[in-house]
């Protein structure tokens, strides 16, 4: 046991040791700050010298090949390295470089016109420059070109061309192209759904972008996507953690839908936010939906309008339509019917079925510039053919009402049939009635019985 003098000496020794330790940490932190400042100064000097060198090269009349200098100047202006960021100047120098055959400059031009936030998108120009770079083997341009073909931006929609360019980019080990191919085969919208190819492409992408253990890969090889979706989900989540945006979207959608995992709207919102922060348009639209409906986040129409606006500015037709609805109702934004109609029109130009339906409603009720039921009817028809369930049911009821001049049981049956193909219980019930009575179609009691049964199973109370 220490006596008092020994204890005091021991405490003084500890205090001195602690002081020396803190002093050492402070000196080390100061050294790190000085080192960091020194490195930053060196970086600034490097880019400043690079800027000066490139300017000398382009002014040198004896120098014939100036494309690399032009391209570098474009890069410096694009990112603000060693000079103030000026996108218009970046475009100017990239164009000079691309016109002389610099592939990277052509890709960067396509990227700026496709995705840059400080200027209005121009998909035709993006398509032009992506094509130039893609034909010269630039895999990032091939990936961008595939996206434009898939969405019909700056060119006609062409699923076959999208697949071709995604495959070309994937052959060059472009991760996002691999993820896009996985997504395409998973959804089955433009090709036949193929779970094995889905898993194959996700696996290739993960191998390129993450450090997954080899034994996990060997374990996964014996599984098809449907047989062990949870294992596949863990792989996709690893890709998402490796900052692959398509994988982030897939994880978010799986949490949202409860696909092979427990439904969790909050986790879905977290993954959508991760993707949205990189500027992903679909993620921003999905976040808008979640804030509007209060799924996993607080219900907030104003916050929803913010995310819808981000996506709408990038020409996302679903976001334009939803933003129009907020404008029309005055939710989260000042009510403005004319602005709502403008947004519906923008989305309708992209053949968005719900936007066409909403536009038709403004002509039906006269909330827009005019009351024109004939035009509304034509627009309802377009929306119905594009797959709008609301429009299909609306027309079925209009043509099924024998108290108006448009009464036509056959046409009514046709639209109920279209809605029934989307598993709408009301449409199946109405078709059953029409088969039972022979109204608008040939009487068929067997079909009537099965449709009554189906509508009942789908929860229709009247069945």
């Amino acid at each position: 046991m220490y006596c008092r003098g020994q204890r005091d000496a021991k405490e003084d020794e500890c205090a001195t040791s602690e002081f020396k330790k803190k002093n050492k940490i402070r000196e080390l932190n100061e050294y790190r700050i000085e080192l960091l400042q020194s490195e930053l100064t060196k970086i600034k000097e490097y880019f400043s010298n690079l800027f000066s060198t490139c300017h000398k090269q382009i002014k040198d009349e004896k120098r014939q090949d100036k494309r690399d200098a032009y391209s570098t100047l474009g890069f410096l202006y694009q990112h603000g390295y060693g000079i103030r960021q000026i996108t218009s100047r970046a475009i100017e120098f990239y164009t000079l470089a691309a016109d002389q055959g610099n592939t990277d400059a052509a890709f960067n031009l396509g990227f700026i016109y496709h995705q840059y936030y400080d200027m209005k998108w121009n998909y035709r120009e993006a398509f032009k420059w992506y094509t130039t770079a893609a034909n010269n083997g630039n895999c990032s341009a091939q990936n961008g070109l595939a996206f434009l073909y898939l969405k019909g931006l700056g060119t006609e929609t062409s699923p076959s061309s999208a697949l071709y360019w995604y495959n070309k980019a994937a052959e060059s080990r472009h991760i996002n192209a691999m993820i896009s191919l996985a997504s395409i085969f998973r959804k089955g919208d433009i090709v036949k759904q193929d779970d094995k190819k889905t898993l194959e492409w996700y696996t290739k992408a993960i191998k390129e972008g993450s450090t997954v253990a080899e034994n996990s890969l060997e374990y996964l090889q014996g599984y098809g996507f449907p047989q062990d979706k949870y294992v596949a989900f863990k792989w996709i989540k690893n890709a998402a953690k490796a900052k692959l945006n398509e994988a982030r979207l897939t994880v978010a959608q799986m949490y949202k839908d409860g696909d092979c995992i427990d439904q969790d709207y909050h986790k879905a919102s977290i993954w959508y936010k991760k993707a949205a922060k990189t500027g992903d348009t679909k993620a921003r639209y999905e976040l808008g939906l979640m804030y509007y409906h209060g799924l996993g986040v607080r219900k907030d129409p104003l916050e929803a309008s913010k995310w819808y606006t981000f996506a709408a500015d990038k020409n996302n037709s679903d976001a334009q339509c939803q933003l129009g609805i907020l404008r029309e109702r005055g939710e989260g934004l000042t009510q403005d019917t004319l602005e709502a109609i403008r947004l519906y029109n923008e989305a309708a130009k992209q053949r968005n079925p719900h936007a066409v339906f909403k536009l038709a409603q403004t002509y039906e009720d006269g909330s827009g510039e005019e009351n024109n039921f004939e035009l509304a009817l034509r627009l309802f028809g377009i929306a119905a053919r594009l797959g709008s369930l609301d429009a299909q049911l609306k027309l079925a009821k209009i043509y099924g009402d024998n108290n108006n001049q448009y009464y036509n049981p056959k046409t009514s049956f046709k639209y109920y049939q279209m809605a029934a193909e989307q598993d709408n219980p009301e449409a199946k019930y109405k078709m059953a009635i029409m088969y039972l009575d022979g109204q608008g179609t040939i009487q068929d009691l067997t079909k009537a019985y099965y449709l009554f049964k189906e509508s009942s199973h789908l929860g229709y109370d009247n069945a």
Side-chain angles (χ1 to χ4, degrees), residues 358-379:
K358 295 298 293 182
L359 197 58
Q361 282 187 317
T362 66
Y363 284 105
E364 180 191 24
D365 58 26
S367 59
E369 295 178 348
E370 62 174 311
N371 188 315
N372 188 333
F373 190 75
E374 291 294 333
L375 178 56
L377 209 58
R378 290 200 296 274
L379 288 171

Side-chain angles (χ1 to χ4, degrees), residues 377-378 380-385 388-389 391-397 399 408-421 427 431:
L377 209 58
R378 290 200 296 274
F380 280 136
I382 293 170
R385 289 190 291 277
S388 168
L389 179 63
Q392 292 162 358
L393 292 173
K394 178 82 174 179
L395 288 172
K397 290 171 184 176
Y399 289 113
N408 187 327
K410 286 186 178 180
T411 305
S412 176
F413 180 85
K414 178 184 78 173
Y415 285 114
Y416 275 132
Q417 192 170 36
M418 289 169 71
E421 288 172 359
M431 281 182 68

Side-chain angles (χ1 to χ4, degrees), residues 271-283:
W271 284 105
Y272 278 134
K273 282 178 183 176
K274 288 178 185 289
K277 285 178 181 178
T278 68
D280 188 274
T281 304
K282 178 173 172 54

Side-chain angles (χ1 to χ4, degrees), residues 103-248:
T103 303
D104 290 336
F107 163 70
N108 285 323
L109 277 171
F111 181 82
I112 288 174
Y113 283 117
H114 179 195
Q115 305 194 29
Y116 239 54
Y117 304 126
D118 63 344
M119 62 179 291
K120 188 173 177 62
W121 42 262
N122 187 332
Y123 292 127
R124 288 188 181 277
E125 282 295 304
F127 177 78
K128 167 187 165 184
W129 290 112
Y130 275 158
T131 301
T132 300
N135 285 328
N136 283 285
N138 186 294
C139 62
S140 295
Q142 291 166 348
N143 181 65
L145 186 59
F147 179 82
L148 296 185
Y149 271 121
L150 185 66
K151 301 296 182 182
L153 301 175
T155 184
E156 292 292 324
T157 303
S158 176
S160 59
S161 296
L163 281 170
Y164 172 80
W165 286 112
Y166 274 137
N167 273 292
K168 290 287 286 184
E171 287 171 8
S172 299
R173 300 168 68 180
H174 193 283
I175 291 173
N176 285 344
M178 294 176 182
I179 294 293
S180 295
L181 284 168
S183 180
I184 286 169
F185 282 110
R186 180 173 181 267
K187 292 176 182 176
D189 292 334
I190 64 172
V191 293
K192 185 179 178 181
Q193 189 177 23
D194 191 323
D195 293 320
K196 287 186 177 180
K197 285 189 176 180
T198 299
L199 199 53
E200 175 190 336
W201 281 114
Y202 276 133
T203 303
K204 286 181 178 179
I206 293 164
K207 285 175 68 179
E208 291 295 329
S210 64
T211 55
V212 182
E214 288 185 12
N215 58 347
S216 296
L217 178 61
E218 290 170 359
Y219 169 73
L220 192 60
Q221 285 174 346
Y223 290 86
F225 199 60
Q227 286 78 14
D228 200 337
K229 280 192 174 183
Y230 183 69
V231 175
F233 167 75
K234 289 197 293 184
W235 272 79
I236 297 165
K237 196 170 181 180
N238 282 335
K241 288 178 179 177
K243 300 182 180 180
L244 304 181
N245 246 24
E246 284 291 338
R248 285 170 170 170

